[in-house]
Amino acid sequence: MGHFTNSCVFKVYGALKILLLTLAFGLMSFGTIIASEKETAGKEAITVSGTVKDGNGESLPGVSIIEKGTRNGAVSDIDGNFTINVQSSESVLLFSFIGYASQEQTVGSRSSIEVVLLEDTQNLSEFVVIGYGTQEKKDVTGAIASVNRENFNKGVVTNPGELMQGKLAGVYIAANSGEPGATQDVIIRGIGSLRSGTQPLYVVDGFLLDNSSTGVPTNPLNFINPNDIESIDVLKDASATAVYGSRAANGVVVITTKKGSGQPQMNLSVSNGWSSLANKINVFDGNTFREQVSAIGGTLDDLGGNTDWQNELTQTASSQNVNFSMGGAANEKFSYFASVGYQNQEGVLKNSDLKRYSGKLNMNQKAFNGKVNIDYNLTASHTENLRPVITSTISDMLSLNPTVPAYTNGEPTLLPTNNLNPLTRYDLYSDLAINNRILATISPSIEIIKGLTYKLNLGVDYSATNRDQQYKPFPSVVNESNISDGSLDVSINSNTNQLVENTLTYIWNQGPHRVTALAGHSFQEFLDETRITSYNGFANNNIEPKYQDHTSTSQYPTSVNSAAVRNELQSFFGRVNYAFADKYLFTGTIRADGSSKFGENNRYGYFPSFGIGWNIANEGFMANSVFNNLKLRASWGQTGNQEIPSKITKASFSEDRLATGAGSLNTYPIDTDATTLDGYPYGIIFTRLANPNLQWEVSSQIDVGIDFAFFDFKLTGTLDYFNKESSNILLQVVPADPVQPTSTFWTNIQDMKIINNGVELTLDYKSDARGAFSYNIGGNITYIQNRVEDSPYSVLVTGAAQGSGQTGATINGYINNEPLGAFYMYQFDGINAETGQSIYRDVNGDGEILDNDRTVVGSAIPKFIYGFYTNFKYKAFDLGLNFNGVSGNKIYNHTTMTLFSKALLAQSNNTTDFAVQYPSESLTNANIVSTRYLENGSFLRLNNATVAYSLSPDKIGLSDTFQNIQFSITGQNLFVLTDYSGFDPEVNTGATSGGIQTFGIDRFTYPRARTFLIGLNLTF
């Protein structure tokens, strides 16, 4: 593999030295704090009083007044009056209040200060995080959606995706299951690729994460403590994302963690939650089961019990969350934020648990009058993820004979040798993954001349995971050797992601002209290493297999598989932002990316974009209009996709020979009289052909948007139309010519396109915040349609069914002029009353039911995505409600197809009444992939609801100790309105086919929980 540059540069900037720099800056910084406090000691205080009012002359109670650079502060009373003792006449007072622009006042010779705070025109003055910098909202030409910590989803939250679900237009987030820390489908403005997944690029404090697996089976973003996140900005259109080039085809999620500022402050939050199964599937109870088996003429195995296996195999799970943080600014030269956190989330299935221990340290140091600026960010986590055998457990919960007693004489009831009591499985099986991860960056910058700043960004993301999956020996099960003899699979994963970036930023303001220019270079190296060792055959001594003898024997041979993949990405990029008179805006971006994943002939891809904006509200003719803000935006741009397997452009070979002495195309005899394998050496065969011409997938996007505000910025909103077209689709295909050295090869599908277009609307209304009662209501809705065009294939199949008699059957398919995630199957028309067999529609009218009678019968991708929220505040009480939902999609209930049939009920397996809805159905009728198992996937969910009470510390005599005391009660997943018959309509647990991604399949999905949480938050 060729290298773009000498990778030894990373030997200099390794994680160890970054940590040493952390300690050095930490010691220097805390020294600054101590020195600052010593300097102020002994000075005579000056008393300053005054009044704070709003722009209408009304008094403002509750305004925070802080003496900058100190811990000294006060709060205005009900009449807006305040009194504060400051250190000197040079002291600066900072006045701040929610909904109003902050203001600074130097004391000077005054003993009385009158302050007028103006309402914060937030949609114009707030900053959003863009690639390699920030920008005021009024200057943004791209489509960027943001959510901050005040508006995050509340409750038991383990990763950033859960914080923003339902909050942002155009962003569809669906948890694949209800498992703690479950993986998620995050889809921004539709799906743009067949096989590369939907995940956007995640950027944490300027560091670009790698989306590859870390060896932990759940969400790789679980290492980030949600309590450390300040804001999340989602870059949606190409004008916003093109600066990230080849990794931005699925959008960009920029995560900014908390920083220290203002008065030093500490915060302690503690919560405890209880979760239970939110929705049970209505399988038969013992008595109904006996009646139904007998009614269909089945064989009833009646063991005399009446067991609810859903109750037996689930639990009331508890969750604990403790977070402590401290942060502030010792002076204008140094600020800091540090936190530690602990989270323990149990799942509703037993032996299901996610523990996370996290630490965070962010520091900023300035020198030489602010010309030198150093940012340091450190995130460290230790995660322990314990999982049960999900598929088997869910199957047992729903299909195990309810007349079997769960326990006999205090022990799990012994079942026939071909079955394992799932209660025993809980004791025998464990799957524990332990991950240690550190993300560290240091970013020094220097202002070379006025307006010109150079910045170096060095970072490393290192992850190491040990995962042990084991069965203790259980000889009573004789037909499954991994259970009867015991087994152990040990996997070791390490991922290293190293980044070096150099940027130059030039800011020039002259009269009505404002220019910001950015130029940069980035080099990123990825190394993923994996080793999996499998052992079998252990002593039945109640000692876990991972602690027993692992010597390989002829009867129980040990197998070892290992792999290592190294990739590099080198980039050059530039951007120009221009504004004239705060009315006319332009953004132009170009990025050139070179990836080692691509061949010699197409190693570099080039991704341009531009955007324009018109602040119509700033025009003279709008002076007396009803609009407080009105901006028109338009953009076009291209981004790329390099999220494909490594090495696919290079040829690959393997050695092959037969297991017997017979002839073979892959082996040849040196000795013509050979009768053993020794006379047949290995043959060399192609497993992959070289393709140096493989090109990047390219996504081109057009966006037109309007930002608006009415009623003194109380009502704000955004309306966008977008059209995204992906081309040069990368796919592994079967060659048309059967005479080929390999069975498949990688190529770009010429002329094939994936198109997504739609409309997004966001609205928010905020009442006057000055009274005792105030409220905030808002929401978003997205309409999106997508389709495949000009595909040379009649259907690209995926979503293969699994199970006896079902394996490989197509569920999803990608078909010309049909939506992505399309369900491609037979249409079920009932049961033949005479034969008892299923009737399927003869679509082409040829009198036979064949493959060409399969049609598109719906899509797993919703047409409408929406969310809305309400927040009410009355004095010290707060109430927040957050809803989210989807419409226009289908779900394939693979669980029903596999478990709930009349034939299985006749064999004393439990089912729902789905199995007996057709009295004439034959016991020999086959479960074939069809619309019989396709259901409406629309839903509306009350995602979370929180009631909080803020207790004023001075009411209980603790004003010298605490700044705020808040109690809260939160409910999650309180109800779901849906027609879906499974555990939950938010699912995706299907199996891919040929690496092509699949959507909307529910196969033995981990059920979702309903959670109640009580919390206490202390600020001091």
Side-chain angles (χ1 to χ4, degrees), residues 682-694:
Y682 287 102
I684 305 300
I685 62 170
F686 273 106
T687 56
R688 183 177 58 236
L689 298 178
N691 185 359
N693 297 315
L694 206 65

Side-chain angles (χ1 to χ4, degrees), residues 316-601:
T316 298
S318 65
S319 300
Q320 298 82 39
N321 204 331
V322 181
N323 290 278
F324 174 77
S325 66
M326 54 187 294
N331 49 48
E332 294 182 355
K333 295 182 179 181
F334 175 73
S335 61
Y336 62 94
F337 174 84
S339 74
V340 291
Y342 167 74
Q343 182 174 14
N344 179 19
Q345 182 184 358
E346 287 185 339
V348 292
L349 296 186
K350 298 175 182 178
N351 287 356
S352 176
D353 185 81
L354 180 69
K355 291 187 178 73
R356 178 181 58 219
Y357 305 82
S358 64
K360 182 70 180 174
L361 177 61
N362 289 341
M363 296 189 298
N364 174 266
Q365 181 76 56
K366 293 181 174 63
F368 301 105
N369 295 321
K371 295 183 181 298
V372 173
N373 188 68
I374 302 175
D375 284 308
Y376 180 73
N377 300 284
L378 173 66
T379 299
S381 69
H382 172 86
T383 305
E384 300 176 6
N385 196 177
L386 180 65
R387 309 177 81 214
V389 186
I390 296 173
T391 298
S392 298
T393 302
I394 300 302
S395 177
D396 288 334
M397 283 171 58
L398 302 177
S399 65
L400 199 57
N401 186 333
T403 70
V404 175
Y407 295 91
T408 300
N409 297 324
E411 296 292 332
T413 302
L414 291 176
L415 303 180
T417 55
N418 62 338
N419 286 295
L420 178 66
N421 189 319
L423 294 168
T424 302
R425 185 189 298 112
Y426 273 141
D427 294 330
L428 298 178
Y429 180 82
S430 70
D431 177 0
L432 178 62
I434 298 177
N435 174 262
N436 294 298
R437 189 166 181 177
I438 181 171
L439 172 62
T441 62
I442 185 168
S443 303
S445 64
I446 181 170
E447 187 176 13
I448 302 172
I449 59 174
K450 184 178 181 181
L452 180 63
T453 301
Y454 164 75
K455 184 175 182 179
L456 172 65
N457 186 25
L458 299 174
V460 62
D461 177 13
Y462 178 74
S463 171
T465 301
N466 288 352
R467 183 182 179 187
D468 296 321
Q469 297 169 268
Q470 61 180 350
Y471 263 110
K472 295 178 184 177
F474 191 67
S476 299
V477 175
V478 298
N479 65 331
E480 295 183 59
S481 60
N482 66 320
I483 299 177
S484 58
D485 298 335
S487 64
L488 171 65
D489 293 322
V490 177
S491 61
I492 300 174
N493 290 74
S494 66
N495 301 59
T496 305
N497 174 3
Q498 300 175 95
L499 175 70
V500 175
E501 290 181 324
N502 298 274
T503 58
L504 280 172
T505 303
Y506 182 66
I507 300 175
W508 179 77
N509 295 323
Q510 187 67 42
H513 306 282
R514 186 167 65 253
V515 176
T516 301
L518 168 75
H521 168 265
S522 175
F523 182 82
Q524 199 160 10
E525 182 182 68
F526 313 91
L527 175 61
D528 299 337
E529 300 171 284
T530 303
R531 184 170 69 253
I532 301 175
T533 308
S534 297
Y535 310 89
N536 290 280
F538 293 93
N540 185 19
N541 54 13
N542 205 34
I543 297 176
E544 294 182 57
K546 64 181 177 181
Y547 299 124
Q548 291 196 36
D549 183 8
H550 296 162
T551 303
S552 180
T553 65
S554 57
Q555 182 181 2
Y556 299 109
T558 298
S559 65
V560 180
N561 294 285
S562 59
V565 176
R566 185 190 302 275
N567 288 302
E568 297 175 352
L569 184 67
Q570 178 169 252
S571 310
F572 302 89
F573 53 89
R575 181 178 60 217
V576 174
N577 297 99
Y578 172 70
F580 176 75
D582 282 334
K583 299 177 184 177
Y584 313 111
L585 313 170
F586 171 81
T587 301
T589 305
I590 181 69
R591 180 161 178 141
D593 275 330
S595 173
S596 60
K597 289 186 176 183
F598 288 89
E600 298 291 339
N601 299 340

